[in-house]
Amino acid sequence: MPKHAEQRVLRHSPQQMFDLVADVARYPEFLPWCVASRIVSRDGNVFVADLIIGFKLVREKFTSEVTLTNDRRIDVRYTKGPLRYLRNHWEFKDHPDGCLIDFYVDFEFKSAVLQQLIGVLFGEAVRRMVTAFEARADELYGSSAATQSGSLSSQTPTR
């Protein structure tokens, strides 16, 4: 099953990065392969969101419950779609150079064919996704403060 864990320092504040990742409705504007998104319901710091991901001939809809905690952590609990499971979180910690982001994703498709296809592309897909969030932060909050961002540590995808 594909997994990816990464920590990265960005020269934006933890609040800015939290706000960016929590704004699921805007994902299609910048996130690769995100064709559409919508917030289905909201109750305080928890909301249900649908994402439609498209790549070549594959198009899948995912429904997840997203929990926002203290403007510092986002947990995603998969509820409906083509997956057996999804484990995903983002944490945003103070760092002398801005924000230390701790990102983790682990999932498995129900379909062996989709699992094989995504397994081949997974590493590149996650790198593009994290880079898209970084580029979006630079666009929204200014890139001059982000000139020295980079990965502190990362764990390569495993299957």
Side-chain angles (χ1 to χ4, degrees), residues 93-130:
K93 301 173 184 174
D94 289 317
H95 187 277
D97 292 329
C99 175
L100 171 65
I101 295 174
D102 182 346
F103 171 74
Y104 176 79
V105 64
D106 174 21
F107 65 92
E108 180 179 351
F109 278 96
K110 293 174 188 171
S111 160
V113 172
L114 280 176
Q115 189 67 27
Q116 286 285 87
L117 175 65
I118 207 68
V120 172
L121 305 170
F122 182 74
E124 179 61 23
V126 171
R127 279 188 289 282
R128 280 185 163 186
M129 187 179 81
V130 172

Side-chain angles (χ1 to χ4, degrees), residues 18 22 42 44-47 66-71 73-75:
F18 176 89
R42 186 178 294 270
N45 67 331
V46 177
F47 63 89
V66 180
T67 302
L68 311 175
T69 306
N70 298 326
D71 292 343
R73 183 176 172 105
I74 298 173
D75 288 287

Side-chain angles (χ1 to χ4, degrees), residues 4-24:
H4 182 83
E6 180 172 347
Q7 291 187 330
R8 185 178 291 210
V9 173
L10 299 182
R11 291 193 181 266
H12 301 291
S13 73
Q15 185 65 56
Q16 288 172 322
M17 295 310 302
F18 176 89
D19 291 345
L20 173 64
V21 175
D23 193 4
V24 173

Side-chain angles (χ1 to χ4, degrees), residues 28 30 36 41 83 133 157:
F30 68 94
S41 65
L83 300 177
F133 278 101

Side-chain angles (χ1 to χ4, degrees), residues 124-143:
E124 179 61 23
V126 171
R127 279 188 289 282
R128 280 185 163 186
M129 187 179 81
V130 172
T131 299
F133 278 101
E134 183 175 4
R136 180 67 167 186
D138 290 349
E139 179 184 315
L140 293 176
Y141 309 125
S143 61

